Amino acid sequence: MSVEAGSRALLTDGDVVLVRPLHPADTAEVLALHTRLTQQDTYFRFFGAPSGLDRLAAGMTAEADLGHYAVGCYRRGELVGVANYEVLKNSTDAEVALVVDASVRTQGVATLLMEHLVSHARKTGLKRFLAEVLAENAKVIHVFKDLGLGFEASIGGPERDVVMTLDEDPAYLDAVLKRDSVADAASLAHLLKPSSIAVLGAGRRPGSVGHAVLANLAASGYRGPVEVVNPHARVILGVPSVPSVAKLSRTPELAVVCLPAPAAAEAVEECGKRGVRAVVVISSGLTGTEHGDRVRAAVREYGMRLVGPNCLGVLSTDPACPYDLTFLGTTVQPGTIGVVTQSGGVGIALAESLGDLGLGMSTLVSTGDKYDVSGNDLLMWWTADPRTELAVLYLESFGNPRKFSRLARQLARTRPVLAVRSGSGDTAQRAAASHTAAAATPAVTRDALFEQAGVIAVDTVAELVDVIAGLSWQLLPGGPRVAVVSNAGGAGVLAADACEREGLVMADLSDDTRARLAKLLPAEAAVRNPVDTTAAVAPRVFADALRAVLDDDGVDAVIAATVPTAVGDPGSALAEVLPPEYKTVFAVRPGQRARVAPLVPGTGVTACYDDPAAAAAVLARLVRYEQWLNRPEAAETLAPLADPDALRAFAAEREGWLPPADSVELLHLAEIPMVETHYVEAGDSMDAVAADLGSPVVLKADADGLLHKTAGGGVLLNVHGADRILEAFRTLRSRFGSALRGVTVQPMAEPGRELLVGVRSDPVFGPLVVFGLGGVDTDLIADHAARLAPLTGADADLLLDGLRASKTLWASGQLDRAAVRELLLKVSRLAELVPELAELDLNPVRVVSEGCLALDVRARLEPAPATDPFLRALRD
């Protein structure tokens, strides 16, 4: 969110305010704020930099004066706080000042304003904030200290000299997100724990959406006051009705709107005027029209939270405040599953499927067209909600994916987060202009986001329900080693095949376990994994065999596949064995009517699937989640960049595909290893370069439309001597004619393995780092892995191990894995420092036993808007 445009934000009590830059036209409001200050307020206002009043009065705008910036906080249209900084002459330091109205001084206004100053100052290259604060002004000192920035303050005397460093620091982001979560939870309480509700548009006709919403609310057990707005009735379903919002007997905390688009927009405006704190707009047909614009404007003007429009509604099963404001046709049972979905249809399907399994929800929020409340809001709500033990997301778009990643990662550390993949179309990649761009499809980018955040991703609602059942009734597996126990050999083989396809490890049973099984089972039974007990065993014997396998220390999880026979039904005995306190067991009953069901109806013993492949797929996802939870964060090993400012300045002066010489210089400034490179333009002489270089060398054409240089005849290898170099230069001139821009000349590199390392920046997701096999077969082999920047050491390791060829690549130990890891971290750092980097293609990167070098580079720079994904701001 850009600070310049102004943005809605939340105070600690959930109140919505507007934060925006101040201009000369705001002078009267700044004066009014100062006039309201008491003598004590003036005394405790810290000093050092001007308050901003003198500057504004002098007619200097925030944009025009790069040495000064002022920002104000507006609550219900009134200016309640001002913060500003003044850059010291010839310095990267700035003095800050702040003043806040006494009526909001405990609601986080000062901290919010400081966060906006920090965001703006970082974009302009400032390094430190300075302030002089009266020693008695402990509140302001605490505001500075608690920001999460590096903080120092002098000791002694009537004043404190405060220094705050503006370095990019994860601790600061953590502090901002913690404050964001507190404020967001307070704001969403108006939506999810309302003290009173009004339904606008509920009719007497049972077939209408409004009538269905009111009927569900009446049946939900909501205990607060409820009124209906309908000019054509006095009572609907026993609920009193009034003709307009203005006629309501009280101001409802939450209103739900079920009206046609024009009337819905007017209703939202009336709710804002009345002081309603949250609105759910179920109405469709608003987006892309003036009516939708009116709704957005009303939300912004009156500081309301809004769900929708074009949504299914909202429900909560919190026993302290249960309510159902949806038009679901099924009753949702109380439970521990929180759901946020952009699709009402997905919400309906999930509610019905979970109901069939006897599972319930804690919350269901259908965001629809997502004008305001989004998945990020619910991630923050669930983090503080002990009733929600599992979070489910269906998101068709990401407004702020980098914030989503941090929030989802935080939540996934304490409870599983599931997401249904959507929007996987890769049409835009068909005409990709680089190898990296061809690999960085939308699906790859989204999957990288989910994987890094610890989100369990699925492709269908059916798969989602499978995983929910597995998580609801069993522990996470302790590892990937799986045993299969079956009384039907075919089912056991299918289960084993499915496990191997999913990347699970078929456990080797110990000698003791096999001996124990041999004593229990008939002679014709198979006592190695997969274990086939034979169809003739009684249920009790099958249960004993399962216990024996579970007791094996080399087994982390078990799939028990059973079919009923005339001898008995081994599946009926599983409940006696399950649930083990320390290992995961899934049941499989081929041919059962439901895709997934509880093993014993009405209990949560374990999930029973109709197909071994479904059980294996769920188990694999749970294993990957468990591995993510236990994955240590590898320490970073990069030394600080020598001159990051020179790198940023170089990039800021260029745009489009860089000439080869500029691309090489970009890598040099980023300290990324590149083979010695000389560039000669097509119309220049090669004589000097040919005389200076030793032999042998390689010549590479730089020509219009030449992406695959080797395949296109643009690479001449092992050229020896000055005469041969000149002859090769003439050959390339003749081959490409007027399309030839120039020729790159490099010494031949030491033989080794060729890899691809690149960056593709997405305007929504940010930069994606791609790693894979490189060289002439890059696109043919298409063996790639990707992660969103910034990379951690663990991310770099996962990239190195994420290829189909990774085991073979690193098995011999003859390639310098550490050098490639360092290269990945350096490329990630480059993408973070230079947001203008739209594409980077290092292909090939030659890796040998000691070190690696980029042999070719293509880079594209494009202007990047100055955004701060972690700045506290609501959707606009």
Side-chain angles (χ1 to χ4, degrees), residues 19-53:
V19 181
R20 67 168 179 82
L22 295 177
H23 306 283
D26 302 312
T27 301
E29 292 178 288
V30 177
L31 279 169
L33 171 60
H34 281 258
T35 302
R36 293 197 303 272
L37 299 177
T38 66
Q39 183 175 358
Q40 184 181 20
D41 293 331
T42 305
Y43 178 70
F44 279 106
R45 176 175 64 85
F46 77 89
F47 54 97
S51 67
L53 178 61

Side-chain angles (χ1 to χ4, degrees), residues 119 191 297 322 424 451 462 511 745 859:
S119 180
L191 172 69
S424 301
E451 187 176 350
D511 292 342
V745 186

Side-chain angles (χ1 to χ4, degrees), residues 116-136:
H116 279 252
L117 284 190
V118 169
S119 180
H120 188 274
R122 282 176 169 173
K123 293 170 190 173
T124 61
L126 293 176
K127 303 298 184 184
R128 300 193 306 172
F129 275 164
L130 313 178
E132 290 180 339
V133 187
L134 294 174
E136 296 92 337

Side-chain angles (χ1 to χ4, degrees), residues 819-850:
V820 180
R821 182 180 187 274
E822 181 176 339
L823 174 64
L824 289 169
L825 293 174
K826 286 184 174 181
V827 167
S828 170
R829 179 173 63 185
L830 170 61
E832 284 291 293
L833 289 174
V834 181
E836 299 90 349
L837 184 65
E839 286 186 55
L840 176 71
D841 207 38
L842 306 182
N843 185 33
V845 171
R846 182 73 57 81
V847 56
V848 294
S849 59
E850 295 184 6

Side-chain angles (χ1 to χ4, degrees), residues 383-448:
T383 298
D385 179 20
R387 294 179 56 252
T388 300
E389 299 177 2
L390 192 153
V392 175
L393 315 167
Y394 176 80
L395 307 174
E396 296 172 352
S397 63
F398 291 89
N400 190 340
R402 301 192 73 176
K403 184 176 179 179
F404 169 88
S405 176
R406 206 168 184 92
L407 291 171
R409 187 191 305 254
Q410 173 183 275
L411 184 61
R413 290 292 177 192
T414 61
R415 69 212 74 181
V417 179
L418 281 66
V420 182
R421 297 184 182 98
S422 65
S424 301
D426 298 336
T427 304
Q429 308 307 122
R430 293 174 184 168
S434 71
H435 301 287
T436 300
T441 66
V444 168
T445 305
R446 177 211 55 211
D447 288 349

Side-chain angles (χ1 to χ4, degrees), residues 566-803:
V567 176
D569 182 3
S572 64
L574 294 182
E576 300 175 10
V577 184
L578 306 176
E581 296 182 356
Y582 62 101
K583 289 185 180 177
T584 307
V585 180
F586 287 148
V588 174
R589 296 190 63 125
Q592 74 177 18
R593 292 182 179 179
R595 177 184 171 101
V596 60
L599 177 63
V600 180
T603 73
V605 174
T606 191
C608 186
Y609 300 91
D610 70 339
D611 191 295
V618 172
L619 190 57
R621 287 186 169 98
L622 268 56
V623 165
R624 289 193 289 271
Y625 176 54
E626 184 271 341
Q627 291 172 338
W628 178 85
L629 285 172
N630 293 290
R631 184 177 299 145
E633 286 294 329
E636 303 300 337
T637 57
L638 286 183
L641 199 61
D643 194 350
D645 292 337
L647 173 63
R648 292 190 186 98
F650 178 86
E653 296 169 354
R654 288 159 176 81
E655 185 174 341
W657 285 105
L658 298 184
D662 283 355
S663 296
V664 171
E665 180 62 15
L666 181 73
L667 296 192
H668 172 72
L669 292 171
E671 299 178 3
I672 292 173
M674 174 83 185
V675 69
E676 178 189 353
T677 301
H678 301 269
Y679 184 76
V680 179
E681 293 187 3
D684 290 348
S685 171
M686 179 69 76
D687 292 348
V689 172
D692 289 344
L693 283 175
S695 296
V697 300
V698 55
L699 280 75
K700 302 176 183 178
D702 171 31
D704 293 335
L706 182 65
L707 174 59
H708 303 275
K709 293 181 181 178
T710 300
V715 178
L716 301 178
L717 300 172
N718 286 308
V719 181
H720 294 261
D723 291 343
R724 293 290 181 87
I725 293 174
L726 295 175
E727 180 182 347
F729 185 44
R730 289 192 292 270
T731 297
L732 293 177
R733 275 177 169 170
S734 174
R735 184 171 296 171
F736 293 98
S738 60
L740 187 71
R741 292 186 292 261
V743 173
T744 296
V745 186
Q746 301 168 330
M748 290 290 295
E750 179 183 350
R753 169 65 67 180
E754 293 188 339
L755 302 175
L756 162 74
V757 176
V759 173
R760 174 64 184 269
S761 187
D762 184 277
V764 176
F765 288 82
L768 183 79
V769 179
V770 177
F771 169 71
L773 298 183
V776 295
D777 294 327
T778 295
D779 296 331
L780 177 64
I781 298 172
D783 192 2
H784 307 114
R787 292 258 156 177
L788 289 164
L791 297 182
T792 64
D795 289 328
D797 289 330
L798 288 168
L799 282 176
L800 295 173
D801 295 328
L803 307 182

